[in-house]
Amino acid sequence: MSLSELTSSRAPVTGLYTDTACVDWRISSQPVNYPDALAEMEARAATIAAGEAPELVWLLEHPPLYTSGTSTNPQDLLTPDRFPVYETGRGGQYTYHGPGQRVAYAMLNLKTRGQDVRAFVAGLEDWIIGTLTHFHIKGEVRDDRVGVWVRRPERGTQVEDKIAAIGVRVRRWVTLHGISINVDPDLEHFSGIVPCGIQQHGVTSFEDLGLTATMPDLDIALRSEFERVFGPTANEGD
């Protein structure tokens, strides 16, 4: 099932919070190559499903690259030789990852969180929107578009830009992939694709909105809002 199908009938965010065990929280200080991240994520998800490891949220950045989801239209890759392109099992279409963009991979066990994928996606939206409020950004969701959007009234009454993307996969009731939020990436890099297959709207970032925020600032807000929506966390290894 694609993410657009999941969000077409958004469920209320219920049953996601649990205080029975802390979610491991990991932050990588250096960019992580996508194949390495994917292999690590899939291995951790398997151990979570087997009951051998706690859930994990992993914050990182990637080198410049494009990924394609299960609903990808090949024509939406406009410059195929620009950056590496990786196929992935997440829902959605083409997206860009690169420096200045915070990626948060969430490996959560939905068996203990209601077994409701729509509610999980709504929880991710709530997590992002709550995080943005820490920086006085009003994020919104749309029933016909994936991600979190910001209105741009200075450019026209109907202009909206995407500030955060969502792409998920669920295997054995454990989630993979997650969200990305644009802090200060090179927005021109998005021009090599039709982001998420949406041509009529653009992409924005904290910097593009005239806001100054560091990645550690965002990480603090992400952790606070994650705990509000999903439950407590602990630094991995503690």
Side-chain angles (χ1 to χ4, degrees), residues 167-212:
V168 299
R169 183 178 185 181
V170 179
R171 181 185 296 160
R172 296 174 61 190
W173 286 110
V174 176
T175 64
L176 299 98
H177 305 280
I179 68 172
S180 61
I181 299 178
N182 298 327
V183 179
D184 60 350
D186 186 339
L187 295 181
E188 202 277 328
H189 289 176
F190 285 89
S191 67
I193 57 173
V194 178
C196 299
I198 300 171
Q199 297 185 9
Q200 61 270 42
H201 298 283
V203 180
T204 190
S205 66
F206 283 45
E207 182 181 55
D208 184 52
L209 294 171
L211 301 171
T212 301

Side-chain angles (χ1 to χ4, degrees), residues 206-222:
F206 283 45
E207 182 181 55
D208 184 52
L209 294 171
L211 301 171
T212 301
T214 68
M215 204 64 78
D217 291 336
L218 178 61
D219 293 346
I220 291 170
L222 278 166

Side-chain angles (χ1 to χ4, degrees), residues 113-136:
R113 298 176 182 273
Q115 293 185 297
D116 188 333
V117 180
R118 288 184 177 87
F120 170 66
V121 173
L124 295 179
E125 294 171 341
D126 190 15
W127 179 23
I128 295 168
I129 291 170
T131 297
L132 294 177
T133 63
H134 287 241
F135 305 93
H136 306 288

Side-chain angles (χ1 to χ4, degrees), residues 5-165:
E5 292 171 328
L6 290 173
T7 55
S8 63
S9 55
R10 296 174 61 239
V13 185
T14 58
L16 294 173
Y17 187 98
T18 177
D19 56 5
T20 57
C22 287
V23 177
D24 275 359
W25 195 264
R26 178 195 301 177
I27 301 176
S28 292
S29 59
Q30 299 297 321
V32 180
N33 289 327
Y34 189 80
D36 296 337
L38 185 61
E40 168 67 18
M41 179 168 48
E42 292 184 341
R44 181 59 173 260
T47 60
I48 293 169
E52 299 171 354
E55 299 170 302
L56 173 67
V57 171
W58 184 11
L59 306 185
L60 52 81
E61 294 174 82
H62 285 305
L65 58 92
Y66 298 128
T67 64
S68 64
T70 55
S71 302
T72 294
N73 179 350
Q75 295 180 345
D76 288 344
L77 181 61
L78 306 178
T79 55
D81 298 325
R82 187 173 192 178
F83 297 127
V85 181
Y86 297 99
E87 293 185 2
T88 176
R90 62 161 175 79
Q93 304 185 45
Y94 282 113
T95 193
Y96 166 78
H97 294 310
Q101 180 193 75
R102 176 55 88 210
V103 175
Y105 290 133
M107 288 144 270
L108 303 183
N109 187 354
L110 296 188
K111 282 188 176 181
T112 64
R113 298 176 182 273
Q115 293 185 297
D116 188 333
V117 180
R118 288 184 177 87
F120 170 66
V121 173
L124 295 179
E125 294 171 341
D126 190 15
W127 179 23
I128 295 168
I129 291 170
T131 297
L132 294 177
T133 63
H134 287 241
F135 305 93
H136 306 288
I137 298 173
K138 184 180 180 182
E140 301 178 357
V141 296
R142 298 289 179 259
D143 289 338
D144 61 341
R145 289 182 251 133
V146 180
V148 174
W149 300 81
V150 176
R151 299 185 191 220
R152 307 301 299 272
E154 73 278 11
R155 297 182 183 175
T157 57
Q158 302 299 317
V159 178
E160 299 179 341
D161 290 336
K162 179 184 281 190
I163 194 167

